[in-house]
C-alpha cells in the first residue's frame, strides 16, 4: 500500500484529524483568540449588497464593552424598560433551566437540555422579531418561548409528558411546539428545520404576507446537507428568513473543528451563497438584538436572507445525558472571554443607573419562586413516571387525519393488552 | 371496468388523454380550484418537466405557483414541509423516484411525523409526485420501484395509478388529502398500456377505456382498490405497470383470474383483497420492485393471516430480482410474461 515506487521521492500523505486545543486536565488559555473591540464593526445600510460587507463574516459585532457601555453603530438604543424586560426573560430562562435540570436528576422526567450561557441568542432575537414571525428553532432556544411570555406550566407539562401535555406525551422533553406561539415543532433530527423555515418564508413571500421566518441550528449541524439546501433555496428565492448558527463551540463532545471551524468562520458560509453574513458576539444581548433587528428589516423589505453566526460558549453539558468534564477542559467555560450574557446586561443597566444588585437579587428570588410554583402546578398533572398518562387511543391518533383500518386494528390490540396487563 | 360511482359531479366532457396529460390535467384542475396548490421541482417550470407533466402550468398560474428548484431533493421536500406548515398545499416533483433518497429524512422524520408530533397543530399536506419503475432502459438510476421504503413509514400514504383515468382522479384526491402522500407514476405506461412483451409493438391509451378522462374535477378515493377483471380461479394482486402485464398474460393463458389493482398501498383496501382471495382460494402477488422486504411480503402476510383457511395453494410472489436494475439485461430482470406465467401455472397446479 505504501510502496508506490513511482513517487518514492515524495513524503507520504498524512490525514488531518482535528483536535481541540484543550482536553480534560489542560488549562484552557484564550490568549490567542482574537476578539475585536466592542463598537468596532461597521453597520452596513440595510439595503447594502451582501458582497459589500464580507468583513463582517470574519469579525464580531459587539455592542457592550468590558465596562458595560453600549458603543458603536450597532447599539440598538433600547429603552431601560425594554432592557429590563430582556434581562428578566434571560434570568427566567436560566431559572427555568435550573429547575428542570434538577427535575430530571430527581427522576421526574427522562431528559433535559439547558441553554446556560446562550440565553441572549434566543431571548434577544425574540425581542427583535415580531410576535407573529415564525420561529423554527433547534432544541436550545427555550428562551424564545419564555421571551414571548409562554406559560411555564405548559412548557413543564411537555417536559413531564403528563396529562396536561399539549403534545400528548408524544415528544421527547423540550421538543416544544405551538402554532399560537409561532414556534414550530422541534425535531430531534438536526437542521431539518432549516429548509422548512426557508419554505415557510417563501410561502409568506409568495402570498404577499408581511411575516418573516427565523431558524436556528448549532455549528456542528451546519455540516448537514439540509443546511446547505436551505442556504441555496434562501439565496435563490431571496427568502425572507433569518438563519442563525449558534456556535457554542461544542456538538456534544465534538468541538467546532469537526464542522470546519479550523478553516473559517460559520458566518463565512454565507459568502459562497451570496447571503448577508454577520458574526456576532452571542453573549452580548444588545449585539444579538441589533443583528436580528437588522436582518429582520432586510427580510421584511424583500432584501433577502441573513445568516448570523452567534459566537458563544455552551456553559453546560449538551444535555442531561453527557458529562462535559469527560471531554473538555474544566476552566474552559468559566474563563470564556466573552463573559456571561445575563451578567453583562445587568452590568450595563447598573451603569445606566437603571438597575442595582438588590433589585437583581430580588428578581432572581422572585423568578425562582415563580418557576417553583409553576413546577408544582405542572406536577399536579403528573410527572413522567411510568409514562402511562394518556389514553392508549392517543398513540394511534394523529398518524393520519383519519385513522385507517390497520391502525384501528392495532388500537384494539393495545386496548386489549391494557386489559390483560390489568391497567 | 372503471368505477363510475367514484366520479363526482362537474367533471365535464371526457377526452382522450395519456397518463402525462391526465396528471397535468389533475394539477391544472387543482391549481384553478385552490390558490394554495403550488407545483415545484427540477425543470418543472418554464420547460414543463422532463416528462412534460407540468407543461403549460407556469404560463397559466405564474412563477410564484409553478417554479423550478435547485437540484437538492432534501431541499425540495424540506421547503415543501415549511410551505405546508404555512398553509400551502405543495405538489413537489422528484424527477425520478431513484433520486428521492436525499429527501428521505425530510419525508420520513419530518413530513410523515409532523401531524403526530405537533398533536395536529402543524401538518404536511404534500403530494410528492415521482416517475418510477423500469421498462424504458433507464439503467439502475432511472428504473427503481422504491414504494416498499415508503409503505414501511408510519404517516405516509402511497398511491400508484395504472391508467390515465385513475391517475387524474387519484392525484386530485392526493392533493386534497391533508396527509403527505407519495404518488408514484409508472413511467413505462405514461404513453400507453404495456403487455409485458418488450419485443412486440407498443400501444397507446387511445384504445384503452382508462384513456377516456373527464376534463374537469373528479376524485377517486384513496384506499380503494379496483377489480380490473373478475374471476374465480385465482386472485392476482398488482399495481401500476404490472396491472397491464398481468391482464395480458391472464388473457393469453385463459386463466379465470380476478385481477385486483390496488391503486393505494397505504391505506390498503384490505376488504377487497380479503373478499377476493376467500372467493378464489389462491393468491398471486406481482410487483416490479425487488423481492426481499418488498410490499408483496406485507400482502402475503396479510392474506395468510386473514384467508389461511380459504387457501388452496401457497401464496406466490412474482417480483423483480434482488439486484440493482440492470441496463442491458432489463428484460431479463423485469417480471414479465414468462415469470408471471410460470407462477400462475404453479399456483393453479397446487
Amino acid at each position: 500500500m505504501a510502496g508506490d515506487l513511482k513517487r518514492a521521492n515524495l513524503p507520504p500523505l498524512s490525514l488531518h484529524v482535528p483536535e481541540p486545543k484543550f482536553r480534560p486536565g489542560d488549562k484552557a488559555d484564550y490568549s490567542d483568540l482574537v476578539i475585536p473591540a466592542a463598537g468596532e464593526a461597521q453597520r452596513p445600510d440595510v439595503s447594502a449588497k451582501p458582497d459589500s460587507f464580507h468583513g463582517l463574516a470574519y469579525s464580531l459585532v459587539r455592542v457592550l464593552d468590558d465596562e458595560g457601555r453600549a458603543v458603536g453603530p450597532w447599539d440598538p438604543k433600547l429603552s431601560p424598560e425594554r432592557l429590563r424586560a430582556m434581562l428578566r426573560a434571560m434570568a427566567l430562562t436560566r431559572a427555568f433551566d435550573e429547575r428542570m435540570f434538577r427535575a430530571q436528576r430527581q427522576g421526574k422526567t427522562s431528559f433535559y437540555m439547558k441553554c446556560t450561557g446562550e440565553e441572549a441568542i434566543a431571548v434577544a432575537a425574540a425581542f427583535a422579531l415580531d410576535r407573529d414571525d415564525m420561529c423554527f428553532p433547534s432544541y436550545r432556544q427555550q428562551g424564545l418561548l419564555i421571551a414571548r411570555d409562554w406559560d411555564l406550566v405548559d412548557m413543564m407539562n411537555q417536559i413531564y409528558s403528563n396529562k396536561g401535555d399539549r403534545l400528548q406525551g408524544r415528544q421527547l422533553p423540550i421538543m416544544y411546539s405551538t402554532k399560537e406561539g409561532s414556534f414550530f415543532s422541534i425535531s430531534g433530527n438536526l437542521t431539518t428545520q432549516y429548509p422548512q423555515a426557508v419554505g415557510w418564508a417563501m410561502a409568506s413571500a409568495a402570498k404577499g404576507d408581511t411575516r418573516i421566518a427565523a431558524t436556528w441550528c448549532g455549528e456542528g449541524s451546519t455540516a448537514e446537507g439540509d443546511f446547505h439546501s436551505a442556504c441555496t433555496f434562501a439565496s435563490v428565492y431571496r427568502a425572507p428568513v433569518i438563519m442563525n448558527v449558534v456556535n457554542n463551540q461544542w456538538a456534544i463532545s465534538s468541538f467546532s473543528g469537526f464542522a470546519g471551524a479550523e478553516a473559517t468562520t460559520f458566518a463565512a458560509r454565507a459568502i459562497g451563497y451570496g447571503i448577508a453574513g454577520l458574526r456576532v458576539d452571542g453573549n452580548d444581548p444588545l449585539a444579538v438584538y441589533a443583528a436580528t433587528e437588522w436582518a429582520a428589516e432586510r427580510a421584511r423589505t424583500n432584501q433577502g436572507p441573513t445568516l448570523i453566526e452567534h459566537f458563544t460558549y455552551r456553559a453546560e453539558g449538551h444535555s442531561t445525558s453527557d458529562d462535559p468534564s469527560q471531554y473538555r477542559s474544566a476552566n474552559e467555560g468559566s474563563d470564556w472571554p466573552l463573559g456571561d450574557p445575563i451578567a453583562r446586561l445587568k452590568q450595563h443597566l447598573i451603569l445606566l443607573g437603571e438597575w442595582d444588585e438588590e433589585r437583581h437579587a430580588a428578581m432572581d428570588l422572585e423568578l425562582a419562586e415563580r418557576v417553583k410554583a409553576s413546577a408544582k402546578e405542572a406536577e399536579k398533572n403528573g410527572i413522567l413516571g411510568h409514562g402511562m398518562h394518556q389514553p392508549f387511543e392517543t398513540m394511534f391518533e394523529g398518524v393520519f387525519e383519519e385513522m385507517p383500518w390497520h391502525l384501528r386494528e392495532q388500537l384494539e390490540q393495545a386496548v386489549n393488552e391494557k386489559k390483560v396487563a390489568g391497567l | 371496468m372503471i368505477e363510475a360511482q367514484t366520479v363526482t359531479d362537474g367533471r365535464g366532457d371526457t377526452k382522450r388523454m395519456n397518463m402525462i396529460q391526465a396528471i397535468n390535467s389533475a394539477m391544472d384542475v387543482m391549481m384553478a380550484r385552490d390558490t394554495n396548490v403550488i407545483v415545484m421541482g427540477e425543470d418543472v417550470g418554464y420547460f414543463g418537466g422532463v416528462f412534460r407533466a407540468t407543461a403549460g402550468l407556469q404560463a397559466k398560474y405564474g412563477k410564484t405557483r409553478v417554479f423550478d428548484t435547485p437540484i437538492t431533493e432534501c431541499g425540495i421536500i424540506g421547503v415543501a414541509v415549511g410551505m405546508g406548515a404555512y398553509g400551502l398545499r405543495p405538489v413537489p416533483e422528484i424527477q425520478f423516484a431513484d433520486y428521492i433518497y436525499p429527501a428521505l429524512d425530510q419525508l420520513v422524520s419530518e413530513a410523515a411525523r409532523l401531524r403526530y408530533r405537533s398533536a395536529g397543530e402543524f401538518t404536511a399536506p404534500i403530494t410528492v409526485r415521482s416517475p418510477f419503475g423500469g421498462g424504458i432502459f433507464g439503467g439502475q438510476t432511472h428504473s427503481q420501484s422504491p414504494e416498499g421504503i415508503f409503505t414501511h413509514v408510519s404517516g405516509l400514504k402511497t398511491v400508484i395509478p395504472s391508467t390515465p383515468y385513475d391517475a387524474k382522479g387519484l392525484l386530485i384526491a392526493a392533493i386534497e388529502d391533508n396527509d403527505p402522500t407519495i404518488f408514484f407514476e409508472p413511467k413505462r405506461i405514461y404513453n400507453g398500456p404495456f403487455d409485458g412483451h418488450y419485443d412486440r409493438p407498443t400501444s397507446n391509451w387511445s384504445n384503452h377505456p382508462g384513456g377516456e378522462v373527464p376534463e374537469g374535477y373528479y376524485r377517486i378515493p384513496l384506499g380503494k382498490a379496483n377489480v380490473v377483471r373478475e374471476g374465480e380461479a385465482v386472485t392476482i394482486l398488482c399495481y401500476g405497470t404490472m396491472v397491464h402485464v398481468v391482464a395480458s398474460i391472464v388473457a393469453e393463458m385463459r386463466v379465470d383470474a380476478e385481477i385486483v389493482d390496488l391503486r393505494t398501498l397505504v391505506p390498503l383496501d384490505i376488504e377487497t383483497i380479503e373478499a377476493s382471495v376467500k372467493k378464489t382460494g389462491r393468491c398471486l402477488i406481482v410487483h416490479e420492485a425487488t423481492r426481499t422486504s418488498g410490499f408483496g411480503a406485507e400482502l402475503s402476510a396479510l392474506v395468510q393471516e386473514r384467508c389461511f383457511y380459504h387457501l388452496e395453494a401457497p401464496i406466490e410472489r412474482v417480483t423483480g430480482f434482488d439486484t440493482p436494475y440492470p441496463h442491458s439485461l432489463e428484460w431479463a430482470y423485469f417480471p414479465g410474461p414468462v415469470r408471471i406465467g410460470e407462477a400462475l401455472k404453479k399456483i393453479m397446479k397446487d
Side-chain angles (χ1 to χ4, degrees):
Chain A
M1 214 162 62
D4 188 345
L5 292 175
K6 278 186 290 185
R7 298 188 186 89
N9 57 343
L10 279 178
L13 294 169
S14 66
L15 178 69
H16 172 68
V17 179
E19 184 59 33
K21 286 184 183 148
F22 313 108
R23 285 292 197 189
D26 298 335
K27 172 117 179 68
D29 174 7
Y30 292 109
S31 55
D32 60 348
L33 184 68
V34 181
I35 307 223
E40 208 178 78
Q42 55 145 333
R43 185 181 186 278
D45 191 84
V46 164
S47 61
K49 293 268 177 267
D51 64 3
S52 66
F53 49 87
H54 282 174
L56 288 173
Y58 302 98
S59 179
L60 211 53
V61 172
R62 303 182 67 212
V63 173
L64 290 172
D65 69 10
D66 291 347
E67 281 71 47
R69 285 184 300 246
V71 294
W74 286 93
D75 177 8
K77 299 194 164 49
L78 300 176
S79 69
E81 291 72 39
R82 201 105 167 102
L83 292 172
R84 278 192 294 265
M86 221 150 85
L87 180 72
R88 188 179 173 82
M90 289 199 291
L92 180 55
T93 303
R94 188 165 293 182
F96 184 88
D97 275 358
E98 288 297 329
R99 184 91 203 174
M100 289 296 99
F101 188 90
R102 204 153 7 112
Q104 191 276 342
R105 289 295 188 247
Q106 290 166 341
K108 291 174 180 172
T109 191
S110 56
F111 181 78
Y112 193 72
M113 299 179 100
K114 298 168 98 171
C115 66
T116 313
E118 301 174 34
E119 290 90 347
I121 292 159
V123 169
F127 273 76
L129 293 168
D130 283 349
R131 179 64 172 69
D132 58 355
D133 287 334
M134 187 68 190
C135 294
F136 289 78
S138 172
Y139 44 65
R140 220 181 291 281
Q141 283 79 48
Q142 52 267 55
L144 291 170
L145 284 173
I146 288 174
R148 285 178 168 179
D149 292 324
W150 200 255
D151 180 15
L152 301 184
V153 178
D154 189 65
M155 293 171 74
M156 289 168 172
N157 284 338
Q158 196 281 327
I159 290 166
Y160 291 139
S161 278
N162 62 21
K163 284 197 279 290
D165 178 8
R166 58 166 52 238
L167 303 183
Q168 300 180 294
R170 288 171 179 165
Q171 277 278 63
L172 193 69
I174 66 98
M175 304 285 178
Y176 312 107
S177 171
T178 162
K179 195 169 193 172
E180 198 193 327
S182 295
F183 187 99
F184 190 70
S185 160
I186 298 175
S187 176
N189 291 25
L190 298 180
T191 322
T192 51
Q193 70 276 12
Y194 249 62
Q196 294 163 359
V198 174
W200 194 97
M202 287 172 65
S204 186
K207 283 288 187 185
D209 201 334
T210 57
R211 293 173 295 164
I212 62 170
T215 186
W216 288 260
C217 76
E219 88 286 349
S221 50
T222 59
E224 293 281 9
D226 300 62
F227 174 84
H228 299 277
S229 295
C231 288
T232 303
F233 265 83
S235 169
V236 167
Y237 303 98
R238 291 184 203 158
V241 62
I242 305 171
M243 301 186 286
N244 297 281
V245 175
V246 182
N247 176 7
N248 67 10
Q249 315 301 321
W250 290 92
I252 306 187
S253 72
S254 303
F255 85 114
S256 57
F258 282 99
E262 287 181 335
T264 187
T265 69
F266 294 98
R269 296 277 185 264
I271 292 172
Y273 292 104
I275 293 173
L278 299 178
R279 192 158 177 267
V280 173
D281 176 354
N283 289 20
D284 178 344
L286 298 189
V288 173
Y289 182 99
T292 308
E293 186 186 41
W294 181 87
E297 197 185 331
R298 279 181 62 83
R300 232 181 285 282
T301 52
N302 284 312
Q303 298 185 78
T306 303
L307 179 70
I308 306 176
E309 173 186 350
H310 301 269
F311 193 69
T312 184
Y313 187 83
R314 196 190 76 207
E316 301 268 356
H318 167 71
S319 73
T320 46
S321 303
D322 65 311
D323 173 5
S325 73
Q326 297 296 305
Y327 51 77
R328 65 184 192 186
S329 157
N331 71 312
E332 224 183 64
S334 53
D335 288 3
W336 181 246
L338 293 168
D340 177 82
I342 296 178
R344 287 175 69 186
L345 187 55
K346 174 187 162 193
Q347 183 194 21
H348 176 59
L349 272 161
I350 290 174
L351 198 74
L352 292 176
E354 293 288 346
W355 196 243
D356 55 51
E357 292 289 351
E358 291 70 37
R359 285 168 81 181
H360 196 89
M363 177 185 75
D364 275 346
L365 206 64
E366 180 215 326
L367 295 178
E369 283 303 317
R370 185 177 150 198
V371 169
K372 191 174 161 189
S374 300
K376 285 209 166 119
E377 193 61 31
E379 285 168 26
K380 284 182 192 164
N381 292 322
I383 55 169
L384 177 61
H386 56 53
M388 302 277 200
H389 299 302
Q390 283 80 19
F392 278 23
E393 303 86 87
T394 62
M395 179 160 55
F396 301 91
E397 290 162 358
V399 179
F400 296 102
E401 186 173 36
E402 284 171 38
M403 197 184 296
W405 66 269
H406 64 283
L407 286 176
R408 279 200 306 275
E409 281 193 2
Q410 290 165 32
L411 162 61
E412 281 165 30
Q413 183 187 344
V415 169
N416 189 50
E417 284 173 9
K418 187 179 175 183
K419 275 188 214 136
V420 172
L423 292 170
Chain B
M1 286 296 164
I2 302 301
E3 273 188 282
Q5 69 271 21
T6 60
V7 176
T8 62
D9 294 336
R11 59 190 164 135
D13 295 335
T14 62
K15 195 179 160 185
R16 277 282 149 194
M17 293 189 200
N18 64 29
M19 195 182 281
I20 300 276
Q21 291 163 330
I23 285 164
N24 183 282
S25 174
M27 285 185 278
D28 189 3
V29 164
M30 287 312 296
M31 292 194 83
R33 286 170 70 95
D34 182 355
T35 55
N36 287 322
V37 174
I38 64 112
V39 167
M40 60 194 278
E42 296 156 16
D43 303 301
V44 306
Y46 185 87
F47 178 56
V50 294
F51 288 102
R52 321 297 305 139
T54 57
L57 295 179
Q58 188 181 71
K60 192 165 176 185
Y61 297 102
K63 286 200 293 186
T64 56
R65 291 187 65 198
V66 183
F67 53 87
D68 293 323
T69 62
I71 305 170
T72 157
E73 290 76 14
C74 158
I76 292 168
I77 302 303
V79 159
V81 170
M83 289 179 158
Y86 180 91
L88 300 190
R89 205 168 270 282
V91 187
E93 174 182 299
I94 299 295
Q95 200 164 74
F96 286 87
D98 314 67
Y99 303 168
I100 205 167
Y101 308 118
L104 210 57
D105 191 37
Q106 285 288 348
L107 286 167
V108 173
S109 311
E110 302 298 313
R113 308 273 174 79
L114 196 51
R115 177 189 295 283
Y116 194 75
R117 78 178 197 216
S118 69
E121 279 201 339
F122 297 105
T123 59
I126 299 166
T127 303
V128 182
R129 289 183 42 250
S130 191
F132 94 129
I136 61 157
F137 278 108
Q140 61 178 298
T141 54
H142 303 79
S143 303
Q144 294 166 57
S145 298
E147 67 272 20
I149 290 172
F150 298 98
T151 57
H152 194 57
V153 175
S154 63
L156 290 180
K157 294 181 176 175
T158 302
V159 177
I160 299 172
S162 69
T163 66
Y165 177 87
D166 280 5
K168 180 170 176 182
L170 288 166
L171 183 53
I172 286 173
I175 293 171
E176 287 186 334
D177 198 277
N178 290 325
D179 291 312
T181 302
I182 308 291
F183 191 87
F184 280 137
E185 301 165 2
K187 59 182 170 295
R188 182 62 182 82
I189 57 171
Y190 267 159
N191 294 313
F194 176 54
D195 63 9
H197 293 283
Y198 62 92
D199 47 356
R200 292 183 192 170
T202 56
S203 56
N204 59 39
W205 285 109
S206 59
N207 299 315
H208 191 283
E212 190 74 21
V213 182
E215 290 187 280
Y217 170 91
Y218 67 97
R219 51 183 289 161
I220 296 174
L222 305 186
K224 293 279 177 236
N226 185 27
V227 178
V228 174
R229 184 192 189 280
E230 288 182 9
E232 302 291 330
V234 55
T235 296
I236 306 181
L237 305 178
C238 50
Y239 47 90
T241 303
M242 302 318 295
V243 172
H244 304 281
V245 180
V246 163
S248 157
I249 189 72
V250 161
E252 282 172 33
M253 288 177 68
R254 297 171 194 281
V255 181
D256 186 22
E258 180 142 305
I259 303 173
V260 180
D261 175 2
L262 299 177
R263 299 200 291 201
T264 305
L265 305 192
V266 175
L268 185 67
D269 184 354
I270 193 68
E271 282 177 22
T272 298
I273 294 171
E274 209 176 318
S276 179
V277 177
K278 281 180 176 169
K279 178 176 75 174
T280 64
R282 287 180 166 83
C283 181
L284 175 68
I285 298 157
V286 183
H287 63 59
E288 193 183 330
T290 46
R291 186 177 187 86
T292 302
S293 302
F295 194 68
E298 179 63 32
L299 290 171
S300 176
L302 285 168
V303 169
Q304 192 276 142
E305 285 162 5
R306 283 155 198 271
C307 308
F308 179 76
Y309 295 107
H310 296 80
L311 288 174
E312 305 286 340
I315 301 161
E316 283 286 326
R317 278 186 291 163
V318 174
T319 68
F321 295 126
D322 286 340
T323 69
Y325 216 114
H327 186 239
S328 63
L329 290 177
E330 172 158 275
W331 296 115
Y333 176 92
F334 188 86
V338 173
R339 203 174 307 154
I340 297 168
E342 290 300 298
L344 259 181
K345 280 186 225 158
K346 182 164 179 257
I347 202 170
M348 296 313 298
K349 193 178 72 189
D350 280 336

